[in-house]
């Protein structure tokens, strides 16, 4: 009898233990979900290269341009010289300035002056021809020997970045070209230092005096090696 009671008690205890375990399981909070993996670091945008124009808005000899025959010319080859940028046209009332520009070039070339002609059709459609036609006109009519380049736009939304720099550097002196034969003078250090209106003739006394003043300045150290020989 005692054995039977003990057996019944054990069975009852087991059942109570099972029920108690199930109850504890029901009241035990679920384990916290695992923390989500840290998101991958967002890619950092590449640093914008330093804009040398922002640092030195007057530096314009970093361009490579096509000459009038289509050959690339690095303007840095003129470093250490006095450079005169002129937007030219063959059918303009100022076209005879070619003669004065050529004379100026011949007079001061050996002292370090170079004139760069950039045909542009922005004003009055007065440069409609092809590069071959422009070259034939310049050399045949005015015996031009200073460097001539392919046609570009010098004003407006499609203007070449070279002329954007020239205009920005001379913002206080009128900025962008107002007509054919606007002239920009660049000193031996490669800085745009003067803007001359289209009607300033190449033999104008003040204009020539400014060119002579720039030529009298020494070239920066190393400019002769970068841009060719410069006068002593």
């Amino acid at each position: 009898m005692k054995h039977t009671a003990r057996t019944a008690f054990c069975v009852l205890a087991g059942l109570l233990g099972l029920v108690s375990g199930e109850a504890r399981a029901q009241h035990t909070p679920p384990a916290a979900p695992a923390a989500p993996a840290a998101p991958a670091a967002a890619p950092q945008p590449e640093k914008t290269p330093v804009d040398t124009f922002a640092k030195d808005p007057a530096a314009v000899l970093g361009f490579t341009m096509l000459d009038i025959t289509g050959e690339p010319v690095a303007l840095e080859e003129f470093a250490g010289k006095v450079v005169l940028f002129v937007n030219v046209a063959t059918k303009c009332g100022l076209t005879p300035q070619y003669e004065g520009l050529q004379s100026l070039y011949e007079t001061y070339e050996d002292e370090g002056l170079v004139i760069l002609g950039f045909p542009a059709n922005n004003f009055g459609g007065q440069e409609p021809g092809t590069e071959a036609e422009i070259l034939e006109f310049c050399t045949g009519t005015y015996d031009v020997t200073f460097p001539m380049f392919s046609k570009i736009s010098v004003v407006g939304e499609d203007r070449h970045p070279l002329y954007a720099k020239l205009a920005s550097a001379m913002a206080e002196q009128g900025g962008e070209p107002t007509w054919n034969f606007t002239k920009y003078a660049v000193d031996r250090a490669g800085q745009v230092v003067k803007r001359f209106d289209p009607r300033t003739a190449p033999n104008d006394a003040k204009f020539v005096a400014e060119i002579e003043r720039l030529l009298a300045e020494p070239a920066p150290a190393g400019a002769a090696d970068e841009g060719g020989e410069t006068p002593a």
Side-chain angles (χ1 to χ4, degrees):
M1 185 70 178
K2 290 182 180 181
H3 177 74
T4 302
R6 189 181 301 113
T7 301
F9 176 76
C10 291
V11 171
L12 179 60
L15 290 174
L16 289 174
L18 178 62
V19 171
S20 177
E22 290 178 351
R24 283 197 305 270
Q26 290 175 358
H27 291 287
T28 301
Q44 296 298 315
E46 294 183 3
K47 293 183 178 179
T48 303
V50 174
D51 185 353
T52 55
F53 178 31
K55 279 189 168 185
D56 189 4
V60 295
L61 300 182
F63 290 96
T64 295
M65 308 294 291
L66 296 179
D67 71 13
I68 203 162
T69 66
E71 293 297 319
V73 176
L75 298 188
E76 64 183 358
E77 73 177 58
F78 303 116
K81 297 180 180 291
V82 173
V83 184
L84 192 66
F85 289 85
V86 188
N87 59 296
V88 296
T90 58
K91 297 184 181 298
C92 177
L94 299 177
T95 298
Q97 285 195 16
Y98 265 123
E99 183 176 1
L101 290 169
Q102 177 62 28
S103 177
L104 186 74
Y105 180 60
E106 292 175 358
T107 301
Y108 295 103
E109 179 186 7
D110 290 343
E111 295 182 36
L113 174 68
V114 62
I115 298 173
L116 308 182
F118 288 88
N121 197 40
N122 295 99
F123 303 107
Q126 295 178 348
E127 190 65 286
T130 65
E131 276 78 1
E133 292 169 337
I134 295 167
L135 179 59
E136 181 179 2
F137 173 84
C138 293
T139 56
T141 306
Y142 293 106
D143 297 320
V144 167
T145 59
F146 56 79
M148 291 287 294
F149 290 81
S150 295
K151 289 173 68 172
I152 60 172
S153 176
V154 299
V155 294
E157 294 182 357
D158 63 340
R159 70 177 173 177
H160 193 283
L162 167 62
Y163 265 79
K165 284 195 174 187
L166 289 169
S168 178
M170 290 289 98
E172 295 182 359
Q173 295 187 24
E176 64 184 17
T178 53
W179 199 253
N180 305 308
F181 292 89
T182 301
K183 306 163 189 69
Y184 296 89
V186 176
D187 67 11
R188 293 188 187 277
Q191 305 299 301
V192 188
V193 294
K194 198 76 174 178
R195 175 190 178 279
F196 300 92
D197 286 335
R199 293 189 180 277
T200 300
N203 62 352
D204 177 85
K206 291 183 179 180
F207 173 76
V208 173
E210 181 64 16
I211 296 300
E212 291 178 339
R213 183 188 70 80
L214 294 174
L215 288 170
E217 295 178 349
D225 294 335
E226 296 174 5
E229 296 181 0
T230 55

